[in-house]
Amino acid sequence: MIKRLVITTFLLVEYFSGQEKSQDCMYLQYCKVCQSYKAPRSHHCRKCNRCVMKMDHHCPWINNCCGYQNHASFTLFLLLAPLGCIHASFIFVMTMYTQLYNRISFGWSSVKIDMSAAKRDPRPIIPFGLSAFAASLFALGLALGTTIAVGMLFIIQMKVILTNKTSIESWIEEKAKDRIQYYQTGETFIFPYDMGSKWKNFKQVFTWSGIPEGDGLDWPVRDGCHQYSLTIEQLKQKADKRVRSVRYRAVEDYSGVCCPVTKGVKTFFTTPCTEEPRISLSKGDLILATRGLKHWMYGEKNLDSAADGGVRERGWFPRKCVEKCQYDSETDQPVDGEKKNR
């Protein structure tokens, strides 16, 4: 693991040193946490506290990010887990059927179920009583539920793989369409990494050796696009988000708990079902809100102290804890530490 990290760091240094010479770093995003430029298709993970190449999402079940190095392995896991659950479901069904076959008698007016030990010779090694039947039925439900849930995740992953995207990039593409439609710019956003063939896209992730193609830094792109087409669109979306964001001031303290009891019943029961964090608020804090729900808002709080280095804290907070400032746009008063245009 350490060897792989050293090699990756060396490749990034070599890669970006060459990019600085060609002035291509003006198209790259800068990660303030990692204190370095992000490679194309890379994103910073708050859980892992590092930038991940070709990040798809952070999976809490494997306690790791799904990205360039393990996208194929994670997808195979999503395939094999439902198959194993289907096999387990078949075993549970056949076990309950064989054990109950001689114990259930159906009549015209009543149903008699005998859950005592088997009345046959030889006796089973493990008596199939009421507790064993309940445990088997519960395990069958878990197996079927896992099959459906994980199977749907596998289908979603295969859809993005066959278009050579990640879940994050699919969301970026949707936001690009919304941005173009909102401003009526007339431009057309073409996803640069879709090779136009499902088989070619499939081979970008799955290989016979198990090692994905490329180095995670340079990617083959479609005609008419270049390596930074997606990054440029991300920079446009971030600039648009700053323009359309609204500034609020905290009027109540908020501890940052997931389901606050003291902020009202509606706020408690409508807490966002997401892994995104909550941010604590103190009366008088300034928050730049970028999106929101009926009772919750998402934004960032600027930490102005020198110890924090101007790092912004992002997360959800209750709407009733803030009020809109007189200057309601980020453009009316720029935020300290805002990234300058390069």
Side-chain angles (χ1 to χ4, degrees):
M1 185 66 184
I2 297 177
K3 181 179 180 181
R4 179 182 297 177
L5 180 61
V6 172
I7 294 175
T8 304
T9 305
F10 175 76
L11 290 174
L12 284 171
V13 171
E14 292 293 327
Y15 177 76
F16 290 125
S17 61
Q19 300 305 319
E20 290 177 351
K21 293 179 182 179
S22 62
Q23 296 182 353
D24 285 343
C25 63
M26 64 182 299
Y27 298 117
L28 297 174
Q29 299 183 87
Y30 187 80
C31 180
K32 294 183 179 180
V33 179
C34 299
Q35 296 294 312
S36 63
Y37 287 100
K38 298 179 185 178
R41 310 187 78 177
S42 298
H43 301 276
H44 185 85
C45 176
R46 291 189 298 265
K47 302 290 185 180
C48 299
N49 197 29
R50 60 185 173 89
C51 288
V52 180
M53 293 187 296
K54 195 188 175 185
M55 178 179 174
D56 185 88
H57 68 285
H58 181 88
C59 180
W61 305 108
I62 63 174
N63 194 27
N64 199 359
C65 281
C66 174
Y68 163 73
Q69 293 286 353
N70 62 348
H71 201 174
S73 302
F74 179 78
T75 307
L76 290 176
F77 162 73
L78 295 181
L79 172 64
L80 296 177
L83 292 179
C85 290
I86 291 174
H87 180 236
S89 300
F90 178 78
I91 294 176
F92 289 136
V93 170
M94 295 305 299
T95 299
M96 289 187 291
Y97 174 78
T98 54
Q99 292 294 326
L100 300 178
Y101 181 77
N102 295 324
R103 307 187 192 193
I104 302 177
S105 60
F106 295 93
W108 291 101
S109 58
S110 64
V111 177
K112 181 181 179 182
I113 302 178
D114 182 10
M115 298 301 297
S116 61
K119 298 178 180 178
R120 62 183 182 181
D121 191 24
R123 295 174 62 86
I125 299 176
I126 301 177
F128 193 80
L130 182 60
S131 59
F133 174 79
S136 299
L137 192 61
F138 178 73
L140 176 62
L142 288 180
L144 293 177
T146 304
T147 301
I148 297 173
V150 181
M152 292 178 62
L153 292 177
F154 170 75
I155 294 175
I156 293 174
Q157 282 296 314
M158 287 305 303
K159 284 183 178 180
V160 297
I161 288 176
L162 293 179
T163 54
N164 203 8
K165 302 175 185 176
T166 63
S167 300
I168 297 177
E169 291 170 350
S170 298
W171 174 237
I172 294 174
E173 187 177 24
E174 290 296 325
K175 291 193 294 184
K177 296 177 181 178
D178 294 339
R179 182 186 63 83
I180 294 173
Q181 183 179 6
Y182 179 82
Y183 289 105
Q184 297 294 323
T185 58
E187 59 182 311
T188 302
F189 176 73
I190 301 175
F191 187 75
Y193 304 113
D194 187 358
M195 297 290 97
S197 170
K198 293 183 178 180
W199 175 243
K200 291 181 180 179
N201 294 333
F202 181 83
K203 291 193 298 182
Q204 289 287 317
V205 178
F206 295 96
T207 59
W208 289 110
S209 62
I211 302 175
E213 291 188 359
D215 55 5
L217 303 176
D218 291 309
W219 303 91
V221 296
R222 299 181 62 172
D223 295 336
C225 302
H226 56 84
Q227 286 288 331
Y228 309 111
S229 295
L230 185 66
T231 307
I232 293 173
E233 175 58 33
Q234 289 181 262
L235 294 175
K236 290 180 180 179
Q237 292 179 11
K238 288 187 175 182
D240 176 52
K241 183 177 70 173
R242 290 194 296 268
V243 171
R244 297 166 63 180
S245 57
V246 181
R247 190 179 290 274
Y248 286 81
R249 184 183 300 275
V251 294
E252 296 181 16
D253 294 338
Y254 169 57
S255 62
V257 296
C258 182
C259 300
V261 180
T262 60
K263 302 304 178 183
V265 178
K266 293 182 179 179
T267 302
F268 178 82
F269 286 104
T270 58
T271 181
C273 298
T274 175
E275 292 184 359
E276 293 174 317
R278 275 64 171 170
I279 57 174
S280 59
L281 300 178
S282 298
K283 193 174 181 179
D285 287 344
L286 291 177
I287 307 99
L288 193 64
T290 56
R291 51 193 165 100
L293 302 174
K294 187 175 181 179
H295 301 286
W296 289 82
M297 301 188 72
Y298 184 89
E300 53 188 24
K301 180 177 65 173
N302 194 23
L303 306 177
D304 295 325
S305 62
D308 296 318
V311 179
R312 293 179 178 180
E313 185 180 0
R314 295 182 175 91
W316 290 92
F317 54 91
R319 186 182 287 269
K320 67 174 300 182
C321 293
V322 296
E323 66 177 7
K324 191 175 181 181
C325 295
Q326 294 180 356
Y327 44 92
D328 58 359
S329 175
E330 194 273 344
T331 56
D332 296 331
Q333 180 175 343
V335 181
D336 295 336
E338 186 64 54
K339 181 175 64 176
K340 298 180 180 179
N341 295 328
R342 293 189 295 273

